Amino acid sequence: MWRFYMEIEQVKNRLASAASMPKDVVIGSSIVNIIGTTEMCVENFRGITEYTDKMIRLQTKNGQIKIKGCRLEIEYYITGEMRITGKVRMIEFSEGGCQI
Amino acid sequence: MIDEFLSYMKGYVRVRVEGDSVERFLNLCAYHELSSWELRKDMDAVLLTMSIHDFRKIRPLARKTKIKIRIVKKCGLPYFTYRHRKRTLFFIGLILCIGLLKVNSLFIWNIHFSGNSQYTDEMMLDFLKKKGVSVCMLRKKVDCPQIAKELRNQYDKIVWASVSVRGSVLKIDLKENEDMICESVTEEGKSVKPTDLVASCDGVVTKMVTRRGTPMVHEGDEVKKGDVLVTGRIEVLDDNKEVINYQYCQADADIYADTELPFQEKIGRYYDERHYTKKKNYQLIFRGKKKQYKLGIPCKDQPMSETYYHECFQQLGEHLELPVSFGIMEVKFFDKTRKKYSPDEIRMLLSEDFERFSKDLREKGIQIRGNSVKIHLYEKSAIADGMIFVNEKITQKADTEIITIERKKADESVGTDDGNTG
């Protein structure tokens, strides 16, 4: 089942590349914009899994994004978009994930 | 900035969210499009800010996720008005202020002209006033295309006019025909009477540049006041060098001559020296169109006092002068002592007067060659008297004498008479 899912994802990826379409729309990839190490903007995610002042874990369609740092604050949070401020030390991406 | 202002106007709350599933609550808020900002972790809880409108919708979500919500701070205009609801005067003042602003914005408070060089603002303001356009008129009564049309019709030199209302300012942009200045001069040359240039005073001609007309004197000639220097009558000669007609024009020339100017200045040797006392009197003045009101302790009329008025004439915009003014009236008291100028002092004063007179002459473009001014001291007065030798322009306009020549029939066939014969 997982393999079949991966194959569909690969096909979508190739189609998006061939048609020059944005992958965040076709595959649902997350967009992470980071300005220096103090500010970052995350789009196209499903929700927050964990929030502390040292770590923010976000659930995306294809996995999870883990942001580690200190004094992490969420400047705003609306559907599928948030801006994080504070000292960002590490961003970790992991495939698969849990349901929220 | 705008977002902050809008948030303030709508009102917002800072809340503390506590519980095991705060993240789930945040996700549900986002899912239901309830925006939250400034999220910060505080111990086990999360502090966040929400608008009042969204805050009213979170109760079911909080119950679902079993979290506790506590309001930490209430901000914004709705809370401000609620807190100060008993201060009626403040709100009346606020409403009055807004009302006055609204009423004032219905009127034109300034008329601004730009691009006019030949017509003054006052000239055009008078014209517009006759047409019913002035400051303090209602904005909705301003007909911009009509004003532009009337300005163009009234003033020939205006080739383009744009009238617009910006806020409470009536903005009039103009473009004048610059070529017409030269054209008018040539037109004047044809229609205006011919003129001679005569000497305005006695002197010896030193420099002469004739642009139009027939010169009657040369450099080095001595001229008397009223002598014709350049005539506007030009002779038309035939092949035999005989005058058959005259052409007339306005003579134009720069003629400089060495002349003499008399100088006399008299100063009395006795004067009153004023010693100002420390005593002063101040009064506030409010002056209307006809009446004047003073506020303060009036002083007794004393002959030895000087009164100074420091007034502010209030003007709104460029052209609207308020009919009232206010200021301070200052009365200074002094004592007089009769004194006499020493010979050195009076010489210095007369020298200063002479220098000032010379400076004025130089500013007018008159060149000073020398002087024979001497100071004479008498018992009661001192006089500076003498002549100043200058080099100045001595031209003065005078009407040209029109001479008529009776032409023979044979001459008429020549047809050279294209002049402006009288």
Side-chain angles (χ1 to χ4, degrees):
Chain A
M1 184 66 188
W2 177 246
R3 197 175 165 188
F4 175 69
Y5 177 77
M6 286 300 289
E7 277 174 4
I8 289 171
E9 284 301 307
Q10 277 176 358
V11 170
K12 275 186 180 176
N13 204 346
R14 281 176 190 171
L15 271 172
S17 297
S20 302
M21 287 174 76
K23 286 177 186 173
D24 58 311
V25 178
V26 180
I27 313 166
S29 306
S30 298
I31 302 168
V32 179
N33 288 314
I34 183 157
I35 303 162
T37 56
T38 54
E39 195 176 318
M40 67 184 289
C41 188
V42 189
E43 290 171 66
N44 229 4
F45 65 94
R46 282 184 170 173
I48 305 172
T49 319
E50 192 181 343
Y51 172 44
T52 63
D53 60 340
K54 287 181 180 154
M55 187 182 75
I56 297 173
R57 199 145 52 116
L58 304 173
Q59 182 66 40
T60 65
K61 193 180 174 186
N62 304 324
Q64 283 191 345
I65 302 170
K66 199 189 280 183
I67 301 144
K68 283 186 178 176
C70 58
R71 298 187 305 278
L72 294 177
E73 286 181 21
I74 298 167
E75 204 173 299
Y76 65 83
Y77 177 28
I78 53 173
T79 322
E81 189 179 338
M82 70 159 58
R83 184 182 289 275
I84 299 164
T85 56
K87 184 74 182 167
V88 179
R89 293 192 193 284
M90 193 179 82
I91 305 168
E92 194 180 307
F93 297 91
S94 55
E95 286 189 356
C98 60
Q99 294 284 326
I100 56 167
Chain B
M1 184 69 191
I2 294 166
D3 289 340
E4 281 174 20
F5 177 73
L6 288 173
S7 306
Y8 183 83
M9 294 302 285
K10 287 177 185 171
Y12 58 91
V13 284
R14 186 92 175 136
V15 292
R16 186 184 168 86
V17 182
E18 257 178 298
D20 294 332
S21 48
V22 176
E23 288 86 359
R24 193 180 169 211
F25 169 76
L26 294 175
N27 290 331
L28 279 169
C29 283
Y31 180 74
H32 287 93
E33 294 181 349
L34 308 176
S35 58
S36 53
W37 63 94
E38 290 175 11
L39 283 86
R40 189 160 61 82
K41 191 79 180 173
D42 183 34
M43 306 293 281
D44 296 334
V46 172
L47 287 168
L48 60 95
T49 311
M50 291 186 109
S51 67
I52 299 173
H53 185 255
D54 289 347
F55 180 74
R56 285 177 186 147
K57 295 179 185 173
I58 60 169
R59 190 182 287 270
L61 308 181
R63 201 178 294 135
K64 190 175 182 180
T65 51
K66 292 173 186 171
I67 54 150
K68 282 182 187 172
I69 292 172
R70 190 161 57 84
I71 294 173
V72 179
K73 196 179 172 186
K74 293 173 181 175
C75 303
L77 191 65
Y79 293 113
F80 178 82
T81 48
Y82 183 75
R83 271 201 297 274
H84 300 92
R85 64 189 179 281
K86 286 181 181 173
R87 298 183 182 185
T88 44
L89 275 175
F90 169 75
F91 286 105
I92 290 168
L94 193 71
I95 291 161
L96 269 175
C97 180
I98 294 164
L100 275 172
L101 271 176
K102 178 66 191 165
V103 170
N104 283 338
S105 66
L106 296 175
F107 293 90
I108 293 289
W109 292 112
N110 190 14
I111 299 177
H112 179 75
F113 294 95
S114 61
N116 53 321
S117 56
Q118 295 176 58
Y119 302 114
T120 60
D121 289 4
E122 286 73 23
M123 201 191 280
M124 282 190 284
L125 274 173
D126 285 343
F127 169 71
L128 289 176
K129 203 171 185 179
K130 282 175 196 163
K131 297 288 173 188
V133 180
S134 61
V135 284
C136 303
M137 73 179 292
L138 278 169
R139 271 179 58 179
K140 67 176 180 183
K141 285 189 179 175
V142 176
D143 186 358
C144 296
Q146 185 62 25
I147 295 168
K149 196 178 167 186
E150 279 174 355
L151 279 171
R152 280 198 304 272
N153 289 342
Q154 175 68 18
Y155 301 105
D156 297 336
K157 289 169 190 172
I158 294 173
V159 289
W160 177 83
S162 161
V163 182
S164 57
V165 178
R166 300 265 171 88
S168 290
V169 179
L170 181 67
K171 206 165 178 284
I172 301 176
D173 294 310
L174 303 165
K175 178 79 182 163
E176 291 175 355
N177 190 358
E178 289 162 5
D179 301 334
M180 280 186 80
I181 301 166
C182 303
E183 282 172 19
S184 64
V185 170
T186 53
E187 278 170 14
E188 278 171 12
K190 284 176 187 171
S191 60
V192 175
K193 283 199 297 182
T195 52
D196 289 343
L197 291 178
V198 297
S200 57
C201 56
D202 300 353
V204 178
V205 177
T206 56
K207 192 183 169 189
M208 193 166 175
V209 179
T210 311
R211 282 184 286 275
R212 206 184 307 133
T214 312
M216 305 299 281
V217 291
H218 300 93
E219 286 180 14
D221 288 358
E222 194 173 328
V223 292
K224 297 279 177 195
K225 186 181 178 183
D227 285 357
V228 177
L229 304 172
V230 178
T231 178
R233 189 174 56 243
I234 303 163
E235 293 172 347
V236 180
L237 305 173
D238 64 0
D239 293 341
N240 299 324
K241 304 283 180 187
E242 288 177 1
V243 178
I244 55 162
N245 204 351
Y246 292 106
Q247 283 186 346
Y248 293 93
C249 66
Q250 284 187 319
D252 183 17
D254 290 333
I255 300 165
Y256 294 88
D258 288 342
T259 58
E260 291 177 358
L261 275 177
F263 176 82
Q264 194 180 51
E265 186 75 29
K266 188 180 177 185
I267 296 178
R269 292 201 64 177
Y270 292 95
Y271 68 101
D272 291 327
E273 195 178 63
R274 291 180 177 186
H275 299 282
Y276 292 95
T277 57
K278 286 182 180 176
K279 191 183 169 190
K280 282 180 186 175
N281 185 278
Y282 293 97
Q283 278 181 278
L284 279 172
I285 305 173
F286 298 95
R287 208 191 290 270
K289 263 192 174 175
K290 289 176 184 173
K291 285 190 175 180
Q292 175 181 299
Y293 300 97
K294 289 177 183 173
L295 196 71
I297 304 158
C299 61
K300 288 174 189 174
D301 285 337
Q302 287 191 17
M304 287 192 285
S305 64
E306 286 176 359
T307 309
Y308 297 88
Y309 289 92
H310 308 279
E311 281 191 67
C312 289
F313 292 95
Q314 294 300 308
Q315 193 171 359
L316 276 180
E318 290 171 64
H319 308 294
L320 180 63
E321 279 183 13
L322 293 180
V324 290
S325 67
F326 60 90
I328 296 170
M329 188 182 85
E330 184 185 6
V331 183
K332 286 181 182 175
F333 299 95
F334 59 86
D335 298 324
K336 277 197 293 191
T337 338
R338 193 78 173 157
K339 282 200 168 183
K340 189 183 178 183
Y341 286 118
S342 68
D344 288 342
E345 278 176 338
I346 207 150
R347 269 196 201 98
M348 200 173 73
L349 282 172
L350 286 168
S351 301
E352 279 172 7
D353 284 349
F354 178 73
E355 280 303 317
R356 205 175 300 123
F357 184 75
S358 305
K359 195 183 166 192
D360 289 347
L361 288 179
R362 279 194 289 272
E363 279 172 5
K364 285 176 191 169
I366 298 169
Q367 191 187 337
I368 297 169
R369 294 182 294 116
N371 68 77
S372 64
V373 178
K374 284 178 181 171
I375 294 169
H376 307 281
L377 295 178
Y378 301 104
E379 178 53 34
K380 288 187 177 176
S381 64
I383 298 171
D385 190 19
M387 301 300 285
I388 303 173
F389 307 112
V390 296
N391 185 271
E392 61 174 332
K393 211 173 177 181
I394 55 160
T395 51
Q396 193 181 355
K397 283 189 177 180
D399 290 346
T400 307
E401 189 191 352
I402 308 294
I403 299 171
T404 317
I405 292 177
E406 287 182 13
R407 288 179 293 174
K408 292 171 188 174
K409 283 184 182 176
D411 293 338
E412 283 175 359
S413 62
V414 178
T416 52
D417 184 13
D418 55 351
N420 190 11
T421 53

